[in-house]
Amino acid sequence: MDTRTALALVLGGLAVYLAYVNPVLGAALGIGVVVVTFLLTLLEK
């Protein structure tokens, strides 16, 4: 496992924990992840 994968797993775990503790923050994080993923896929093309 490389550093990038480990960092992604840690950040994902932190996001899931924050979403569990505060559902409003979890919804905002989820929307942010979708937007960033969409922009990254657009930039790759």
Side-chain angles (χ1 to χ4, degrees), residues 8-24:
L9 287 174
V10 168
L11 290 177
L14 181 62
V16 169
Y17 172 74
L18 290 174
Y20 177 75
V21 172
N22 189 350
V24 174

Side-chain angles (χ1 to χ4, degrees), residues 20-43:
Y20 177 75
V21 172
N22 189 350
V24 174
L25 181 61
L29 283 172
I31 292 170
V33 167
V34 169
V35 169
V36 168
T37 304
F38 179 68
L39 290 175
L40 287 175
T41 56
L42 283 178
L43 290 175

